[in-house]
């Protein structure tokens, strides 16, 4: 045997069962752990409780920020909202993000098809009866060409952006077609509390899918304003925080961290880049035992001397 | 002629033999541990397990009354609070356990799979907790879903794992992920019991006749197929 082989072999890990033993009551240890953790859990629950800020309903949104609802409805009709220009999995409006040459977002396909103008605005409004002006507006919208629709909605969106608070009452006269009525009626529908049901029912009695109302809500600015006020913004470590002074998900600190630093914080491709990086780091973490250098690091760090103070 | 000898072709006998080989007799619940197991760091593995039991138990109570119960009942809110804090403790203990095992290079001596199952269980726990936040049906769920969809959609996952679909997230949270996590944790514990607690670096058993080596050298001996020859000193 060579000297090197002998040296390496002398460093090999021996079978744990060959070392001297001492009495160790595993069951007692588990029972004590259960008691201690149980007491800690109940104490923390009693002292700190848990956060439960109510969900923002579409009615609450319409009452608190009606102009935001009108602006969002207009953006859906103009095709300029976030969801309208999102790309997969909702539509083909954009290629989506990529990881180098890998166009993973496109690869996922359009599996949750959403036509923002029709699904989030026109379709729920079509369920309203007894509103002659709305019926005319819907007929006008449906009979117009795509170019005409986009022109109307685009002009109205610009007009809303030009007035203080985006107040529709202050908008100057213009060629907006039926868009002002459609946007106004969607706001009224939301305020009445009927919009959620119209967006989630999808022709079925039961619903557990909030994709459409959440897309509409996140297309507006109200939800984000509320979240930012509660330190939940993307650049406020929002993914790991939760409402109030609660710990949230601190175990997601590394994932959230990348969004706070360049190039991720300024990249339009940030999500794909962060996910790619985290996937690589996760693989390294999982397969540490096989990563040269990293697997030997603990021996050199010496922290193990605090754990094993006496040599067996 | 009949015989009481077990039939080696019997699937039952084969399974029994395989199970007996996986965790040798006396190793599933041993009443002794190697003398070097003498540090508070060893407590955090069992503390993680205890917290996991409370996570499951409080989750089961929440399931009994339905997903909206905790919004309307003070008792429900308290149970939700125990669910939240047991999760926080679970992660705290697990992270300490994980760092402890890293500093011990606990994958040595053919324990690579033990590390891997623990690491995957940690990652699975992050996913399970995440779906819990999505299933709360409150403001946090709305905002977290709205933010998370972009990350998942950017890599094509969102088309099959729709964080805006509360029904899908709730089922992942209460059924699929805890089931996978439970299996991983059982596997992890079985592997710990099978291989025992990793010895200190370069430690040699005092009995020279039994100085058997269980893997290739140093910190690199994570997954050796068979024990190599005993060391002669």
């Amino acid at each position: 045997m060579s000297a090197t082989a002998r040296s390496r072999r002398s460093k090999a890990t021996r079978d744990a069962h060959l070392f001297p033993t001492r009495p160790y009551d595993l069951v007692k240890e588990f029972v004590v752990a259960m008691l201690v953790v149980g007491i800690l859990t109940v104490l923390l629950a009693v002292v700190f409780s848990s956060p439960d800020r109510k969900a923002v309903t579409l009615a609450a949104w319409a009452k608190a920020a009606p102009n935001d609802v009108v602006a969002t409805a207009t953006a859906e009709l103009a095709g300029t909202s976030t969801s309208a220009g999102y790309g997969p999995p909702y539509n083909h409006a954009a290629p989506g993000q990529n990881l180098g040459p890998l166009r993973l977002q496109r690869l996922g396909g359009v599996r949750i098809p959403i036509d923002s103008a029709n699904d989030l605005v026109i379709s729920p409004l079509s369920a309203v009866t007894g509103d002659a002006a709305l019926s005319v507006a819907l007929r006008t919208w449906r009979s117009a060409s795509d170019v005409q629709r986009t022109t109307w909605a685009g002009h109205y969106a610009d007009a809303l952006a030009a007035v203080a608070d985006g107040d529709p009452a202050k908008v100057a006269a213009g060629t907006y077609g039926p868009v002002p009525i459609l946007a106004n009626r969607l706001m009224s529908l939301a305020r009445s509390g009927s919009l959620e049901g119209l967006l989630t029912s999808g022709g079925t009695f039961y619903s557990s899918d909030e994709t459409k109302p959440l897309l509409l809500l996140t297309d507006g600015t109200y939800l984000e304003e509320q979240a930012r006020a509660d330190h939940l913004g993307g650049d406020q470590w929002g993914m790991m925080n939760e409402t109030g002074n609660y710990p949230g998900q601190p175990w997601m600190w590394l994932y959230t961290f990348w969004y706070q630093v360049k190039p991720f914080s300024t990249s339009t491709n940030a999500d794909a880049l962060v996910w790619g990086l985290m996937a690589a780091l996760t693989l390294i973490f999982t397969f540490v035992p096989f990563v040269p250098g990293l697997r030997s690091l603990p021996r050199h760090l010496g922290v193990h001397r605090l754990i094993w103070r006496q040599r067996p | 002629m009949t015989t009481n000898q077990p039939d080696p072709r019997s699937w039952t006998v084969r399974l029994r033999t395989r199970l007996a080989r996986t965790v040798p007799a006396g190793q599933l619940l041993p009443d002794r541990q190697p003398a070097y197991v003498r540090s508070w760091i060893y407590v955090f593995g069992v503390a993680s397990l205890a917290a996991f039991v409370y996570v499951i138990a409080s989750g089961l109570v929440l399931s009994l009354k339905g997903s909206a119960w905790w919004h309307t009942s003070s008792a429900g809110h308290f149970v939700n609070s125990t669910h939240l804090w047991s999760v926080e403790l679970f992660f705290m203990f697990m992270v300490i356990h994980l760092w402890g095992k890293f500093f011990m290079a606990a994958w040595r001596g053919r324990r690579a799979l033990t590390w891997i199952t623990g690491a995957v269980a940690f990652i699975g726990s992050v996913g399970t907790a995440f779906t819990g936040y999505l299933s709360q049906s409150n403001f946090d769920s709305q905002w977290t879903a709205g933010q998370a969809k972009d990350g998942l959609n950017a890599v094509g996952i969102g088309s099959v794992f729709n964080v805006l679909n509360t029904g899908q997230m709730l089922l992942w949270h209460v059924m699929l992920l805890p089931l996978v996590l439970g299996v991983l944790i059982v596997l992890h514990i079985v592997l710990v019991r099978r291989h025992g607690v990793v010895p200190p670096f370069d430690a040699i058993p005092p009995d020279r006749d039994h100085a058997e080596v269980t893997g290739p050298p140093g910190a690199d001996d994570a997954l050796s197929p068979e024990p190599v020859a005993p060391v002669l000193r």
Side-chain angles (χ1 to χ4, degrees), chain B residues 121-202:
Chain B
F122 176 76
I123 297 159
S125 302
V126 172
T128 310
F130 173 66
T131 53
Y133 274 83
L134 295 171
S135 306
Q136 292 182 101
S137 55
N138 60 12
F139 182 83
D140 272 325
S141 305
Q142 287 178 309
W143 180 248
T144 305
Q147 292 287 288
K149 78 175 192 310
D150 297 332
L152 290 157
N153 289 340
V155 288
I157 298 171
S159 57
V160 288
F161 183 80
N162 180 11
V163 291
L164 306 183
N165 185 334
T166 315
Q168 186 188 15
M169 291 305 105
L170 183 63
L171 288 174
W172 275 71
H173 181 66
V174 303
M175 185 65 210
L176 286 175
L177 290 173
L179 189 66
V180 172
L181 200 52
V183 169
L184 281 169
I185 289 173
V186 168
L187 191 58
H188 184 68
I189 293 169
V190 166
L191 286 168
V192 171
R193 294 277 34 96
R194 173 179 165 82
H195 294 292
V197 181
V198 71
F201 288 101
D202 308 330

Side-chain angles (χ1 to χ4, degrees), chain A residues 48-56 223 226-233 237-249, chain B residues 70 77 84-85 133 136 138-144:
Chain A
F48 298 110
S49 187
S50 53
D52 187 23
R53 180 174 171 182
K54 283 185 179 174
V56 173
L223 188 75
Q226 299 295 304
R228 294 195 68 80
D230 225 338
H231 59 267
L232 296 173
W237 297 76
M239 275 303 293
M240 59 178 276
N241 291 336
E242 63 183 323
T243 51
N245 292 318
Y246 287 88
Q249 304 179 77
Chain B
W70 76 281
H77 193 102
L84 167 73
W85 288 107
Y133 274 83
Q136 292 182 101
N138 60 12
F139 182 83
D140 272 325
S141 305
Q142 287 178 309
W143 180 248
T144 305

Side-chain angles (χ1 to χ4, degrees), chain B residues 22-206:
Chain B
T22 301
V23 182
Q27 292 307 316
L28 188 62
L29 271 179
D31 58 355
R32 300 183 72 82
Q33 286 293 316
Y36 54 78
V37 180
R38 195 183 286 273
S39 166
W40 277 98
I41 197 69
Y42 291 107
V43 170
F44 288 96
V46 76
S48 306
L49 190 60
F52 182 70
V53 171
Y54 283 108
V55 171
I56 295 294
S58 53
L60 284 174
V61 177
L62 287 172
S63 303
L64 282 175
K65 301 286 277 186
S67 59
W69 174 53
W70 76 281
H71 295 301
T72 56
S73 151
S74 54
H77 193 102
F78 174 73
V79 176
N80 181 73
S81 302
T82 61
H83 193 59
L84 167 73
W85 288 107
S86 55
V87 168
E88 298 287 349
L89 290 171
F90 175 57
F91 272 97
M92 188 180 80
F93 296 146
M94 197 162 40
V95 167
I96 297 171
H97 174 65
L98 198 155
W99 276 112
K101 293 302 159 188
F102 175 78
F103 289 128
M104 292 184 221
W107 49 80
R108 291 174 294 128
R110 290 194 291 162
R111 291 176 178 82
L113 199 54
T114 313
W115 171 272
I116 291 169
T117 51
V120 176
F122 176 76
I123 297 159
S125 302
V126 172
T128 310
F130 173 66
T131 53
Y133 274 83
L134 295 171
S135 306
Q136 292 182 101
S137 55
N138 60 12
F139 182 83
D140 272 325
S141 305
Q142 287 178 309
W143 180 248
T144 305
Q147 292 287 288
K149 78 175 192 310
D150 297 332
L152 290 157
N153 289 340
V155 288
I157 298 171
S159 57
V160 288
F161 183 80
N162 180 11
V163 291
L164 306 183
N165 185 334
T166 315
Q168 186 188 15
M169 291 305 105
L170 183 63
L171 288 174
W172 275 71
H173 181 66
V174 303
M175 185 65 210
L176 286 175
L177 290 173
L179 189 66
V180 172
L181 200 52
V183 169
L184 281 169
I185 289 173
V186 168
L187 191 58
H188 184 68
I189 293 169
V190 166
L191 286 168
V192 171
R193 294 277 34 96
R194 173 179 165 82
H195 294 292
V197 181
V198 71
F201 288 101
D202 308 330
I204 295 168

